Amino acid sequence: MLLADIARTSLAVAAASARTEKVALLADLFRTAEPAEAPVTITYLAGRLPQRRTGIGWRTLMDHPGPADTATLTLGEVNRTLDRIALVSGKGSQAERRRLLADLLGRATAEEQDFLIRLIGGELRQGALDAFAVEALAAAAGTDPAEVRRAVMLGGSLGSVARALLEDGPSALAGFRLEVGRPVQPMLAQSAKDVDEAMDRLGPCAVEEKLDGIRVQVHVDHVGEDPREPAHPVRVQSEDRPGPVVRVWTRTLDEITDRLPEVVDAAAALPVTRAVLDGEVIARGPDGRPRPFQETSGRVGSRLDVAGAQAALPVSVAFFDLLSLDDRPLLDLTVRERHTELARVVPGELRVRRTSVEEPAREPARAAVRTFAAEALERGQEGVVLKALDSAYNAGRRGAAWLKVKPVHTLDLVVLGAEWGHGRRTGRLSNLHLGARRPDGTFAMLGKTFKGLTDALLAWQTARLRELAVSEESWGVQVRPELVVEIAYDGVQRSSRYPAGVTLRFARVVRYREDKRPEDADTLDTVLTALRV
């Protein structure tokens, strides 16, 4: 398949307003795709790279050769080149990445260049949503979207299901089922304003602490070796009796078994034959309180010697769900039933703290939940998650049966610049550069965000920022630091990309504060204090 086919489909999907039209465009593309190309095709359309990180920054992307006249680049050629770029390391790596990228972009047409630049730069936000892709695959193969959706949930990857479906037809979907050794996509939670709203929506529910750690799915198999050769070797308990195979995946289904020996040890000791567990890995300080998320993330993401990382920052695991036990799938059981099974095989110190409310309409019960949520925050947790007691585990879905409640942090920051949008936002200033006030009255950039902007706000924002612009570049505008915007965020973390060494997690626009002057904006010290808390 030519890259041009994907680039044209991407633009068409972005321009389409009706769901049925988006699905039809994707289905037409899938009908022409080779089965082996399906995983990369879907990943690109969703605005993601299989390589995750390439080491290429926006400055390098902007300095590219002129376009080719004719489309000749194939999907395979592009993906192989990006593989090579991602693997470049050592002395001269930056120059080699630039050379490889220039060669790739020099062979691309103008339309393909635009697609690749936005894809590599992480700005292809209009890509095909997974829900559209599922429906389009079903249409291309002539099968039920619900069957495709369930296969994706249990198969762990939309790409792997797409390849099998396009290669073998609808009968291939039966091969995707819950198996120990093959991760499934996790169930996710929607948000609620507070615990009272959550109880009103759910009725009888469990209330669990929401840990600010790394979501993990742990598979335990005491029966025999995994033919897929897990990253962590089979543990040996004695010369004649091999120990269980334990494998650990993140919520994005990256295997991290070899980085978490503490989790492997804890899971191996459970009284199960085979099991699939859902939980959270977290680092704690000497006082038992959670360490900042970035420290946990850094430890889990480290590819350094595990023994050294473990000595410097040990982590622990807390389980909150059980998806399979001794070859018995539990996905269709209720929260109440699954927790009963979880409590039977996982000791209390390895479970997430929880309570339950059977009669949420009664004020004493509601007050108890409020107290539980407040105490969770006092213990340093991120918030709470409420789960309907009669709900099943909907793998891969952000279902209404799980509702997360956590405090919203906001800052008043100053807009320092903005980048031109893409797709539906083409021609509008979208991605805001955000700054906090330094003691000398200047502003330190903390990061960017394009989230929380309605069409009306985008139109107003574009006009206002062009009035404040001191320079207009191909990427966007730099503006006089006069406009204050209220930003909601989930936390503060360290980052070498920004001058103050920190950035905001999941920043999104709440509203503009034209009633405030730049000198009323929050200070950098306020942000740094939040990092130290």
Side-chain angles (χ1 to χ4, degrees):
M1 176 181 290
L2 292 177
L3 179 67
D5 297 327
I6 297 176
R8 281 194 292 271
T9 300
S10 176
L11 285 174
V13 169
S17 56
R19 182 186 189 95
T20 53
E21 185 180 359
K22 293 177 185 286
V23 170
L25 288 165
L26 292 171
D28 287 342
L29 182 70
F30 293 149
R31 289 187 185 101
T32 64
E34 292 293 327
E37 296 174 331
V40 177
T41 299
I42 288 174
T43 304
Y44 280 12
L45 284 168
R48 301 189 295 266
L49 286 173
Q51 297 81 10
R52 297 292 179 89
R53 295 177 183 176
T54 60
I56 297 172
W58 265 106
R59 187 169 299 176
T60 302
L61 285 169
M62 291 298 99
D63 183 21
H64 59 77
D69 295 326
T70 307
T72 60
L73 273 176
T74 67
L75 179 63
E77 288 174 318
V78 173
N79 199 50
R80 285 191 293 273
T81 299
L82 292 177
D83 278 339
R84 291 175 62 192
I85 290 173
L87 291 172
V88 171
S89 62
K91 186 177 181 180
S93 58
Q94 188 172 355
E96 178 63 7
R97 288 192 200 100
R98 190 179 294 115
R99 184 191 70 79
L100 290 168
L101 179 67
D103 179 67
L104 178 65
L105 292 177
R107 297 175 58 203
T109 64
E111 185 178 67
E112 291 170 325
Q113 279 191 354
D114 178 69
F115 177 83
L116 281 172
I117 288 169
R118 290 186 288 128
L119 175 66
I120 297 170
E123 295 294 325
L124 192 66
R125 293 186 291 269
Q126 51 73 34
L129 299 179
D130 285 353
F132 294 156
V134 164
E135 293 183 29
L137 281 168
T143 190
D144 184 351
E147 294 299 319
V148 179
R149 191 174 297 113
R150 183 169 180 83
V152 171
M153 293 174 189
L154 300 181
S157 163
L158 178 57
S160 62
V161 172
R163 179 170 185 165
L165 184 59
L166 295 179
E167 194 164 58
D168 300 323
S171 62
L173 299 180
F176 293 96
R177 55 187 182 275
L178 181 60
E179 293 181 1
V180 174
R182 184 169 68 186
V184 300
Q185 294 183 353
M187 182 172 176
L188 304 174
Q190 296 183 11
S191 296
K193 180 181 64 175
D194 52 40
V195 293
D196 286 280
E197 178 191 279
M199 286 186 284
D200 288 341
R201 290 166 60 180
L202 297 178
C205 56
V207 188
E208 300 174 351
E209 289 188 337
K210 188 178 190 307
L211 308 187
D212 193 15
I214 301 294
R215 180 87 172 263
V216 291
Q217 188 177 125
V218 180
H219 291 228
V220 185
D221 186 357
H222 282 260
V223 176
E225 293 191 18
D226 191 312
R228 281 171 283 247
E229 297 182 358
H232 192 284
V234 175
R235 299 171 56 79
V236 177
Q237 295 172 333
S238 67
E239 292 184 0
D240 59 351
R241 184 187 175 194
V245 174
V246 176
R247 302 180 70 179
V248 184
W249 284 271
T250 67
R251 62 179 287 173
T252 54
L253 308 188
D254 293 317
E255 187 169 3
I256 54 172
T257 310
D258 56 345
R259 305 179 202 174
L260 294 172
E262 304 99 324
V263 177
V264 171
D265 289 339
L270 297 176
V272 299
T273 302
R274 283 195 179 103
V276 178
L277 302 107
D278 201 350
E280 199 92 4
V281 166
I282 193 166
R284 301 181 187 275
D287 58 356
R289 291 179 64 82
R291 301 293 300 163
F293 170 81
Q294 193 176 19
E295 293 186 22
T296 299
S297 179
R299 159 60 205 280
V300 174
S302 173
R303 296 186 181 276
L304 302 176
D305 175 68
V306 172
Q310 189 178 1
L313 187 67
V315 295
S316 60
V317 65
F319 296 111
F320 54 77
D321 219 323
L322 185 62
L323 312 188
S324 175
L325 179 62
D326 298 339
D327 294 326
R328 183 165 56 100
L330 307 182
L331 296 177
D332 294 329
L333 297 187
T334 66
V335 163
R336 191 196 311 271
E337 292 166 331
R338 294 199 310 277
H339 188 268
T340 297
E341 295 291 339
L342 179 73
R344 187 168 63 83
V345 297
V346 178
E349 63 271 18
L350 292 180
R351 299 199 307 268
V352 168
R353 192 190 302 260
R354 80 193 294 269
T355 186
S356 62
V357 52
E358 298 283 353
E359 299 180 301
R362 297 179 61 246
E363 180 54 34
R366 299 172 81 86
V369 172
R370 294 187 206 110
T371 299
F372 180 89
E375 290 175 347
L377 294 175
E378 289 174 4
R379 285 191 289 269
Q381 312 303 354
E382 190 180 23
V384 292
V385 179
L386 290 83
K387 303 176 178 179
L389 286 173
D390 61 355
S391 63
Y393 190 99
N394 291 315
R397 304 293 297 274
R398 193 176 292 280
W402 288 14
L403 298 174
K404 58 186 176 183
V405 177
K406 55 185 180 179
V408 177
H409 309 288
T410 62
L411 289 169
D412 289 331
L413 301 176
V414 171
V415 179
L416 305 178
E419 298 169 12
W420 293 112
H422 302 286
R424 290 182 63 249
R425 296 187 176 189
T426 297
R428 297 183 178 184
L429 290 168
S430 175
N431 206 14
L432 299 174
H433 296 191
L434 306 169
R437 185 163 47 89
R438 293 189 178 104
D440 63 1
T442 62
F443 294 90
M445 185 174 171
L446 297 178
K448 309 175 185 180
T449 188
F450 56 84
K451 297 180 179 178
L453 297 167
T454 63
D455 287 345
L457 196 55
L458 273 168
W460 177 88
Q461 173 178 287
T462 300
R464 185 73 179 97
L465 292 178
R466 297 192 81 167
E467 292 173 0
L468 297 174
V470 295
S471 69
E472 191 162 321
E473 313 290 343
S474 59
W475 55 265
V477 297
Q478 293 180 322
V479 302
R480 298 193 301 275
E482 298 178 9
L483 191 59
V484 178
V485 61
E486 184 178 349
I487 297 293
Y489 65 100
D490 285 6
V492 178
Q493 66 184 45
R494 300 191 186 281
S495 173
S496 59
R497 295 182 60 186
Y498 297 104
V502 296
T503 190
L504 305 179
R505 291 178 61 206
F506 304 114
R508 59 265 186 202
V509 173
V510 177
R511 56 180 171 161
Y512 275 98
R513 297 299 304 264
E514 290 192 282
D515 58 321
K516 291 194 174 186
R517 301 167 299 173
E519 51 267 37
D520 298 324
D522 281 303
T523 65
L524 180 58
D525 186 60
T526 297
V527 178
L528 296 175
T529 298
L531 178 66
R532 293 190 289 267
V533 170

